[in-house]
Amino acid sequence: MANEEDEQGFKRMWEDAQHRFEQKTKKSLVQQKNPSLENVLKKLDERFNDDNPDSGGKQQRVKQLASNVLKLIQLLGGIAAQGASIVFGPATQCFSAIDFLLDIPARISRFHDDLARLFAEISTFLQVFKIYQRIEDFTTVNVELKRSTHKLMILFVDICALSIDYFSGSRFRKILSDAKLALFEDDVGVKAKLEEFKILIGHQGQISDAVTLEHVLRSEQEQKGSLKKVLDMLKKSSDDTDWKLHEVNEKLERVDNNTNILAKYATASNNQKEQQDRIEQICKTLSVEATAIDELVKKSLQIQISSQEYTGSWLEDIDVYKSWTDLESKCDPTLWLCGDSGTGKSHLAFTIINGFMKRYSSANSKSMRVSAAFYRYVRNDKRPRDDIIKYSLRCIAAQLAKQNTVYMKKLSSHLESIDPSTVRQKIGGDLFRELIHPPNMNDMSDIAYVLLFDGIDQLSEDEAHQLAGAIHAMKTSTVRILMTGTADNLRFCSDSTGQTSGLAPHINVAERNLPDIERFVDCEIKRCNALHGDRDEVSRIVAKVREDLPTYSKGNFKDAEQIIGQVSDAVESELTEEEIEDIISGKTLKDVQSLINELSDTLNAQETGQLNELLIWTLYGYQLFNVEEMEAALFMRTSRKPFQPLRKKVGEKYRSILEIDPDNDCLRMKNGDFEDFFWDSIREPQSAGKDTEEDPKISMTVKIDHVSRSHVQRFFWDLSEKVVLDKFAFTAPTTGPEPKAKISANMTEAHLTIAKRCFDLLLDEPNEETKILGGYALQWLPAHLKDLRRENNEGFLRPAEKEEIVESLISLLQSPDTVETHLNEKFLRSGGWLNESEADAIGGWLEDSEATSELRRSTDKLRRKERSWLKRVDLGGWLLALNDIAKMIACQWLCYRTFPAPSLFDWIDIFLTRVAEKQGQDCAAEESESSGANQTKADQELTNNIDIPAEDVLPTQARVLRAAKWAEKEAGTTKDSLYYERLGYTYLGLQEHDCSIAAFVKAKDLPNSSWTVSNGLAEAYSEASKKDLAVKEMDLAIASLRSKGSAVDGTNDLVSNLYMSAMLHKDLKHTAESIDQLREAIQLDAYHYESYYQLLRVLIDSNAESEAFSLLNEMDAEPAKELKLTRLGAMLIEFLDSNCDLERFQTIFHMTRHDNLFNVILQTLERIIAFAPINISTSKGIVLRHAYGVALAGYSIQEKHLDSALSQWRKCCELGILSQAWEDWDEAYQAAKRIFVLHLATAKSAQSSADDIEVCSTELNDLVERIQMRYPWVGFRLRLLLASFHKSIGRQKEAHELLLNDMKSGFDLLSDDDPGNDWVGYSMIADILMHTGDDLNALSAWSLRGPSERYGASIDFPSTPTPCECDVCDKPVLWGDGIWFCKMCYWVGFHDGCLPKLRSGQINRYICSQDHDWLHVPSWIDEYKATGDGKVHVGGEIQDGQRVEGHIVPIEEWLDTVREKWGIEKFTPVIHIEEGY
């Protein structure tokens, strides 16, 4: 409830609004007899009817729109008045304003268009408020929401006043004579008010996001279901308004409508796994991390999303740009974009790339396949600087390989033929030519590359010279290169490459980008609330900003942004117009140093220290840190919690330099200028000659002159007494105030501080406040030590600091128990501290003679034992330093159950392999020879009677036994039951099932055997397909657990074992036993939702549907443990963790589709989605929306649900595009396929209009570009679907043009020197032909896809499986089978017996569609036998999806006919003749 002060504030707001209304209209809202909604609607009905023949239906439209607005206004009035004693009736006064407006038609009749548009605008904005239609059920409304609502209603009254003034005045009569619609002209004021209205709506949306609906509307009747009804309204509204993602979607739409992304022409094979393997091998050969490529793609996406609309529209007036984009011109292929930081070079570069791609994307005078790649140089790149240029060129090659299948295969083949070190050693132009145009890629006539090298100003002169030389050597007509940097970079690089015509082709961005700056300024003004309003002073200031700032900013966006921010602050601070004009002119612009100094002046010493700590972790940490992790870092600094919450400090004190990313709650720098400033700052090197080797000492010289002997004796006596009795009274020197702390974050002190924090964290006792950073400290300490090695080499570390590093490192390596508290699976499986880079860092510090010399000499600083340890490391190598930690991990492996045994074994195995490599031994051979001779009797028992080929198993077995023997010798492990149990789990994780069974059996025979042994043995039997034995072992484990009683841990273990046993019974068709054990599991744990689902499956499979329905109803009636959901809803959320590919959702949907329970499930999903941003991750939210759309479109009988399904799938695509996780991209692709299916149905429907089909076509074209920009693998698949759509609406030409480059890629694969990839080429050609309607040729291409030795197929073995599976029964399609492929979906096929099930609606999955068309591909074996080698079946006719008759021709003859049909020239290999022949 609003307090009295709030109510009085609302009242004053309305009094001001009444006064404005009366001044504008000469009418009083207060004196007007209070009209009700019914009264106004009645007047609306009387004044607007269709009786007037001149209205042309306009009056009816006005009536309908006005009626919608009135109802929404009444809803707003309910929000404004809720919980308050407001007597002035907000809604009533709005009705009065409309009542006056409706009086006008009695006098003027030709104004329907203006009025209709006015109401339409207002109605559109107000749709978002439909979520509050159940406001009467709630007793509390958030005050901020109420205040926003009052403002909206007052603004509505103002708009009515302006409209009344306009329609009633002489201007409207004058306009009528000119037949123009002028209500929305700028000078009327309505347009500005509508803009303000829109902004205020956006503000309300932010309130709704910040204060969730659960907090905004608190219901006393929630238990009675009111909240569920409100959430229903929320869902209906969000389908239309997308209020949660509005801002992001708007930016994405701008990108999608005006740009293409780097990966537009990615070609993907049908076998994604093989392509991924090739890419990974290319990256490995080139020493390029896959994550680095992903980060480049992410950065490009961020730049494009943040770009302004119409960026670079002025480029078309620049000749050098027009020549550069024309591949047929003879211009220099390099184009420079020059300008200082902040001039928008990067944004402009991507605009140019997108324009280039767009130019060659459709039918053109010369069709080209264009791929694009880029590299962004940064000053603080952690890679070795001497390799940065070569690394960037290798990254460029890896990106191109991911986009272009032909290039990928050629590059892969070339790299396999040469020594990888050769590539890494090449420099400059040689490397560029080697990678961008590999020697085996002869025909590049229709392939072009556009490459962007961004941030040349971040390179040293030597690095820039290397890059310029490499690019100069690679100037060809089919490569276009963009470079961004300063004018100095341009001059230097032009000189270094011997540019004969002066400077290289370039565009001075700051001199040309005035139109972009103007648009940017206008956008920034709209974002600043302080610059909105009716005051004349503010209007003049805004006009001044628009007029002068674009010129004053001199093409610099950052300066313009800073000035607008200062103007906004000045307006809020009530500065004079003259002072604000000085700000606009740029006189108050400040550089980064000035801004930091200003911030420093506002902070005390403690705050400055806190900020410095945040900066070093943000700038120099090896991961992003969220608020909770940063709070832990601050605790380590002072050993106490800050008084103020960090989120508040960042939002207030530090907001000029730091911010919190709303997407991941992590801290980040406000802008790149601050990053550059701190990265450029360095620590002063230690002064040469300064004595720091000895301990601190005090020396004193006493001069005795003309003093008697007795005085001297007295002096020394007194001095001795003072020293002995400690009577000196020392006081602090009075040299002035202590200097103020400075804001700083240089690289040396940053890595030194983080390393110290990591040491403290790992060496101290566990602390609840800081343990969240334990995993980071363990994982990344070696990386920070490596950075400190570099800083040390450059002379930035003090001797005492180096000694401290070594001393801490030795203490840590000798304290495995402290490391043990922070162990985690990621560290273990990755071989933490054992890779080459980490080894160099740890070993480098231990071998640093300067850092360890004092420690070796001093008995005070290092005990004798530790000095001895260091000497042993000197003799045995740095790996010996990890020996104590290795012993601890070995004990964890074989003596405890804390961590999974396979993870611990992985680390030990890597460690021992590194030791063997260090000693120059052939570990595998040595252990093979000794594994039998040196085995104990117990070890031999593990391998007796195991008949497995030695070459397959022995290396793994030998590695495990090697590790176990080492652990026994070094860590003192004993061979008890637990020892063999852990070995059993190790073998189980390594898929060595027989060894695993032998180990578990041995463990059972020893004393103190645990139930976990039976559990592991059951799992091993199950993996070895001995499920009957597995059931017996599970019974033993369950009996043992039952005997323990009802301890909490015992209950959890019992539930998991009951579930596992039930699954085994299910596999063995023991239905009754499976049901009993699942019910027992649920009885013990009512929230074990996996047991609920599996029980449903067993009941459905056993035709006990009534029991299944009862179970679902019981779940819907019981609350979940967390969230305000039922157990049914909680189970649906848990589906998101099961990687179920929607199968589980569809099981529930299919089962309940004809029951009211289906509506309950829909409502539950709606509620989960409404609170998804709060309760579940983005990835789960994407899957949830996908599933919800499937429920609406595939299982609901209501036609209106199709639009809602489309809305959900669109959001899946939008969220997936923004994500960095590949599984989210794949989910977005799956959702995109659903959209295609629905739009194909629209295209085929006789009821669809041309406009409907055009809307679908536009969306599908946009969708293809949007998905493939983040997930290039699926570009080809989506283009196939789009081609099917074009074909279905008669646009055969567009379908051909869309897939022409893909068809060329398919033929390229057939004409290269690698016959092993021909099957990929035939698959691509078959898919293209099938989706463009050429069924006969498609069947010919499909027949050539197999049989192939690649899959072990042979004409003698027709039962060998193909790579295809039936999408109904999930069984593989055999080479001897036929398959029905859908001609409208991608890679959807059915067995002969399963297609009728789809056509008759007998399957429970939402796949394909009953009205699609299918093509029957006959048995590959039969086709091969009929045609023979080198020939193919062609011609004939298609009847019911199958070929009838036809004839056989040579494959090359058939390929020539397809080439001719598609206008593709036949490739002629270039024959190189060596000299002398």
Side-chain angles (χ1 to χ4, degrees), residues 611 614-615 650 654-659 667-669:
L611 175 59
L614 297 174
L615 289 173
V650 173
Y654 311 143
R655 63 190 170 102
S656 62
I657 192 171
L658 285 172
E659 63 184 2
L667 270 69
R668 65 185 182 191
M669 301 301 293

Side-chain angles (χ1 to χ4, degrees), residues 528-646:
C528 295
N529 291 331
L531 300 182
H532 302 152
D534 294 332
R535 291 172 53 191
D536 293 339
E537 297 89 341
V538 174
S539 298
R540 286 196 298 271
I541 290 169
V542 170
K544 189 74 174 174
V545 170
R546 283 198 172 100
E547 181 180 356
D548 295 342
L549 183 53
T551 303
Y552 286 142
S553 63
K554 298 178 181 178
N556 195 296
F557 291 90
K558 291 181 179 178
D559 289 350
E561 183 180 23
Q562 185 183 147
I563 289 173
I564 291 175
Q566 291 177 354
V567 169
S568 178
D569 292 341
V571 170
E572 291 181 341
S573 302
E574 298 292 340
L575 296 187
T576 65
E577 289 189 50
E578 291 75 16
E579 290 173 315
I580 293 175
E581 286 180 7
D582 287 341
I583 295 175
I584 297 172
S585 67
K587 294 178 181 179
T588 60
L589 266 180
K590 300 174 180 125
D591 58 17
V592 173
Q593 181 66 70
S594 300
L595 294 172
I596 290 176
N597 291 340
E598 281 187 4
L599 175 60
S600 182
D601 291 340
T602 66
L603 305 178
N604 59 39
Q606 175 65 22
E607 290 170 333
T608 301
Q610 187 182 81
L611 175 59
N612 289 342
E613 187 80 17
L614 297 174
L615 289 173
I616 64 173
W617 288 88
T618 301
L619 287 166
Y620 303 103
Y622 277 88
Q623 69 175 45
L624 297 174
F625 297 94
N626 61 33
V627 173
E628 186 180 2
E629 290 166 331
M630 283 298 199
E631 287 173 339
L634 293 178
F635 185 91
M636 285 193 291
R637 174 178 172 268
T638 59
S639 297
R640 66 176 178 82
K641 282 186 175 182
F643 294 125
Q644 294 291 329
L646 177 58

Side-chain angles (χ1 to χ4, degrees), residues 1149-1175:
F1149 299 157
H1150 181 76
M1151 175 184 170
T1152 61
R1153 67 191 186 282
H1154 298 309
D1155 189 85
N1156 185 57
L1157 195 56
F1158 181 72
N1159 294 324
V1160 172
I1161 291 172
L1162 290 183
Q1163 292 168 5
T1164 302
L1165 290 173
E1166 289 169 6
R1167 180 175 181 182
I1168 298 171
I1169 290 171
F1171 292 108
I1174 302 168
N1175 298 316

Side-chain angles (χ1 to χ4, degrees), residues 378-619:
V378 291
R379 202 182 307 275
N380 75 326
D381 199 316
K382 295 179 173 62
R383 296 176 184 84
R385 296 304 299 189
D386 59 354
D387 187 51
I388 194 65
I389 300 302
K390 293 187 287 184
Y391 181 82
S392 66
L393 298 180
R394 299 198 297 267
C395 280
I396 290 284
Q399 289 179 69
L400 295 176
K402 290 187 76 171
Q403 295 180 53
N404 189 296
T405 305
V406 176
Y407 174 80
M408 175 192 68
K409 293 183 179 295
K410 295 290 186 180
L411 180 62
S412 175
S413 176
H414 173 61
L415 293 177
E416 288 172 359
S417 67
I418 61 176
D419 184 353
S421 62
T422 304
V423 177
R424 292 192 288 270
Q425 291 168 2
K426 285 183 180 289
I427 60 173
D430 292 338
L431 179 61
F432 210 170
R433 283 189 292 267
E434 188 89 19
L435 298 179
I436 306 304
H437 192 178
N440 61 348
M441 197 161 183
N442 299 313
D443 184 15
M444 289 185 61
S445 59
D446 68 339
I447 297 177
Y449 306 123
V450 53
L451 312 178
L452 167 60
F453 296 91
D454 190 23
I456 308 301
D457 52 316
Q458 302 292 303
L459 299 174
S460 66
E461 285 193 356
D462 182 58
E463 292 163 348
H465 176 74
Q466 291 181 44
L467 178 62
I471 291 173
H472 183 71
M474 190 54 196
K475 291 187 175 182
T476 69
S477 60
T478 56
V479 176
R480 288 291 186 262
I481 298 169
L482 268 177
M483 303 179 76
T484 70
T486 64
D488 290 340
N489 299 141
L490 170 63
R491 284 189 290 272
F492 175 80
C493 290
S494 297
D495 293 342
S496 66
T497 56
Q499 194 80 25
T500 57
S501 57
L503 297 178
H506 64 279
I507 298 173
N508 191 318
V509 178
E511 293 178 358
R512 301 277 191 169
N513 68 354
L514 182 62
D516 296 341
I517 293 286
E518 289 173 340
R519 282 187 288 269
F520 176 77
V521 167
D522 193 58
C523 182
E524 288 299 302
I525 289 173
K526 292 177 181 178
R527 291 182 181 180
C528 295
N529 291 331
L531 300 182
H532 302 152
D534 294 332
R535 291 172 53 191
D536 293 339
E537 297 89 341
V538 174
S539 298
R540 286 196 298 271
I541 290 169
V542 170
K544 189 74 174 174
V545 170
R546 283 198 172 100
E547 181 180 356
D548 295 342
L549 183 53
T551 303
Y552 286 142
S553 63
K554 298 178 181 178
N556 195 296
F557 291 90
K558 291 181 179 178
D559 289 350
E561 183 180 23
Q562 185 183 147
I563 289 173
I564 291 175
Q566 291 177 354
V567 169
S568 178
D569 292 341
V571 170
E572 291 181 341
S573 302
E574 298 292 340
L575 296 187
T576 65
E577 289 189 50
E578 291 75 16
E579 290 173 315
I580 293 175
E581 286 180 7
D582 287 341
I583 295 175
I584 297 172
S585 67
K587 294 178 181 179
T588 60
L589 266 180
K590 300 174 180 125
D591 58 17
V592 173
Q593 181 66 70
S594 300
L595 294 172
I596 290 176
N597 291 340
E598 281 187 4
L599 175 60
S600 182
D601 291 340
T602 66
L603 305 178
N604 59 39
Q606 175 65 22
E607 290 170 333
T608 301
Q610 187 182 81
L611 175 59
N612 289 342
E613 187 80 17
L614 297 174
L615 289 173
I616 64 173
W617 288 88
T618 301
L619 287 166

Side-chain angles (χ1 to χ4, degrees), residues 44-81:
L44 188 66
D45 191 63
E46 293 172 353
R47 300 295 173 89
F48 293 83
N49 56 65
D50 287 334
D51 294 340
N52 185 352
D54 295 329
S55 70
K58 295 178 182 178
Q59 291 194 17
Q60 184 65 24
R61 174 166 169 75
V62 172
K63 183 168 66 174
Q64 181 182 357
L65 291 168
S67 177
N68 290 338
V69 170
L70 286 167
K71 292 174 182 177
L72 291 167
I73 287 295
Q74 185 185 43
L75 178 59
L76 288 178
I79 299 171

Side-chain angles (χ1 to χ4, degrees), residues 614-891:
L614 297 174
L615 289 173
I616 64 173
W617 288 88
T618 301
L619 287 166
Y620 303 103
Y622 277 88
Q623 69 175 45
L624 297 174
F625 297 94
N626 61 33
V627 173
E628 186 180 2
E629 290 166 331
M630 283 298 199
E631 287 173 339
L634 293 178
F635 185 91
M636 285 193 291
R637 174 178 172 268
T638 59
S639 297
R640 66 176 178 82
K641 282 186 175 182
F643 294 125
Q644 294 291 329
L646 177 58
R647 199 178 299 277
K648 180 179 180 182
K649 292 294 286 287
V650 173
E652 295 176 359
K653 284 281 188 178
Y654 311 143
R655 63 190 170 102
S656 62
I657 192 171
L658 285 172
E659 63 184 2
I660 298 175
D661 188 337
D663 293 333
N664 52 27
D665 205 37
C666 293
L667 270 69
R668 65 185 182 191
M669 301 301 293
K670 195 80 170 181
N671 61 53
D673 286 345
F674 287 114
E675 292 180 350
D676 291 341
F677 175 82
F678 289 115
W679 287 337
D680 289 342
S681 64
I682 61 172
R683 187 188 202 186
E684 290 298 324
Q686 184 74 8
S687 301
K690 185 175 180 179
D691 182 13
T692 57
E693 293 297 324
E694 300 180 7
D695 290 333
K697 60 183 67 176
I698 300 174
S699 62
M700 178 174 65
T701 301
V702 179
K703 184 178 181 181
I704 301 174
D705 193 13
H706 302 294
V707 180
S708 66
R709 181 176 180 179
S710 61
H711 281 83
V712 173
Q713 288 175 330
R714 182 67 183 175
F715 169 77
F716 281 112
W717 179 264
D718 291 342
L719 179 64
S720 300
E721 183 181 25
K722 297 283 188 182
V723 172
V724 173
L725 300 179
D726 196 20
K727 291 182 178 180
F728 281 113
F730 291 104
T731 58
T734 57
T735 57
E738 184 178 347
K740 183 175 175 61
K742 294 182 179 179
I743 298 174
S744 65
N746 64 70
M747 189 175 295
T748 306
E749 292 175 347
H751 288 300
L752 186 62
T753 299
I754 295 177
K756 287 179 179 179
R757 302 279 187 262
C758 292
F759 279 128
D760 291 344
L761 189 61
L762 296 173
L763 288 169
D764 290 348
E765 290 296 319
N767 187 311
E768 286 296 319
E769 302 295 338
T770 60
K771 68 179 183 180
I772 192 173
L773 288 175
Y776 178 87
L778 192 64
Q779 191 76 28
W780 294 108
L781 173 60
H784 290 290
L785 293 178
K786 179 183 177 183
D787 290 320
L788 288 171
R789 291 297 303 160
R790 183 188 64 244
E791 298 301 301
N792 179 55
N793 294 337
E794 296 178 6
F796 292 118
L797 288 180
R798 281 49 163 172
E801 292 167 343
K802 293 186 282 187
E803 292 173 13
E804 183 181 2
I805 291 170
V806 171
E807 187 175 30
S808 298
L809 182 57
I810 291 174
S811 297
L812 181 62
L813 294 174
Q814 286 188 302
S815 306
D817 53 327
T818 61
V819 174
E820 186 176 17
T821 60
H822 299 288
L823 273 184
N824 56 76
E825 281 203 66
K826 181 179 179 182
F827 174 84
L828 294 168
R829 285 197 174 276
S830 63
W833 296 12
L834 294 174
N835 66 50
E836 185 177 347
S837 175
E838 294 170 333
D840 289 343
I842 295 173
W845 279 111
L846 295 177
E847 296 166 2
D848 189 313
S849 58
E850 183 181 356
T852 60
S853 59
E854 181 66 21
L855 298 178
R856 295 174 192 277
R857 292 197 309 265
S858 173
T859 58
D860 296 334
K861 292 190 175 181
L862 205 61
R863 296 186 298 274
R864 180 178 303 171
K865 178 182 176 183
E866 292 168 317
R867 291 203 307 274
S868 176
W869 179 89
L870 194 55
K871 288 180 181 179
R872 289 201 310 273
V873 170
D874 291 341
L875 295 174
W878 69 267
L879 276 167
L880 189 59
L882 297 176
N883 207 55
D884 290 336
I885 292 176
K887 291 178 185 178
M888 175 271 293
I889 293 177
C891 286

